[in-house]
Amino acid sequence: MKNYLFIPTVVLILTSLALGGCSTSKETLLPAGDNTMLELWQGEGSVRQSVAPRETLHRPLTEPERQTAVRQDADYSRSQASEISQQFPRLPNPDMVMYLFPHLAEGNSPVPGYSTVFPLYSQTQYAMPGERTEAL
C-alpha cells in the first residue's frame, strides 16, 4: 500500500528542486562588477591585478632548461628540413595485382582476361612521429 505513495513523492521532490534552481537570479550568481568590457580588454581591472602576484612566483629558466626548451621547440617547429623528412610518414600500402580470367558477361558476351591493380588498404595510414615504418 505504501508503494503507490513513494513514486509521486519522489517526483514531487525532484520537480520542486528543479524549479527551485530556476528561481535564482542572474545578478546573484554573476554580479556585473565595476569594470566595463573596454577596461578589461585594455588590461585594467581585476583580471590584471590577479596576474601580477602570480608572475612573482615564476622563476627564470636555468641555462640547461633553456637549451632543452629550444631543442624541444625545434623538434616540433616547421622548417625546410623537417618538411622534407616527413613528421608523419605514410605507412606501407602495397599494391595488389589481380588477374581476371576470360569470362562471359551477362551469360553471352565474352570478356578477355586482364590485370588490375588496387591498394591493399582502402585508406592511407600515417605513422606517429618516431614510429617505425620499415619491416622488422
Side-chain angles (χ1 to χ4, degrees):
M1 282 207 159
K2 293 182 181 182
N3 287 341
Y4 67 90
L5 290 177
F6 177 72
I7 293 175
T9 306
V10 170
V11 170
L12 180 66
I13 291 172
L14 290 176
T15 305
S16 64
L17 287 174
L19 292 177
C22 295
S23 67
T24 306
S25 77
K26 181 185 76 152
E27 293 300 322
T28 306
L29 288 177
L30 300 169
D34 300 331
N35 301 325
T36 65
M37 284 303 293
L38 181 62
E39 290 171 344
L40 291 174
W41 180 258
Q42 292 173 343
E44 303 168 7
S46 61
V47 174
R48 183 58 60 192
Q49 292 168 357
S50 66
V51 172
R54 196 176 320 143
E55 290 297 324
T56 61
L57 297 175
H58 290 282
R59 65 172 177 81
L61 293 176
T62 62
E63 191 57 36
E65 291 172 335
R66 185 175 288 118
Q67 291 173 355
T68 303
V70 168
R71 267 187 273 124
Q72 287 176 345
D73 288 344
D75 289 344
Y76 290 103
S77 62
R78 294 176 69 170
S79 67
Q80 291 173 343
S82 69
E83 291 296 318
I84 292 171
S85 65
Q86 299 171 355
Q87 286 280 45
F88 300 97
R90 287 184 172 191
L91 291 175
N93 189 3
D95 286 335
M96 304 298 292
V97 178
M98 182 174 72
Y99 178 76
L100 287 129
F101 290 97
H103 59 279
L104 296 175
E106 298 181 11
N108 56 1
S109 300
V111 177
Y114 61 95
S115 296
T116 183
V117 178
F118 58 92
L120 179 62
Y121 304 111
S122 61
Q123 279 187 318
T124 304
Q125 301 292 325
Y126 293 92
M128 296 297 291
E131 185 178 356
R132 286 182 58 163
T133 57
E134 67 274 357
L136 294 176

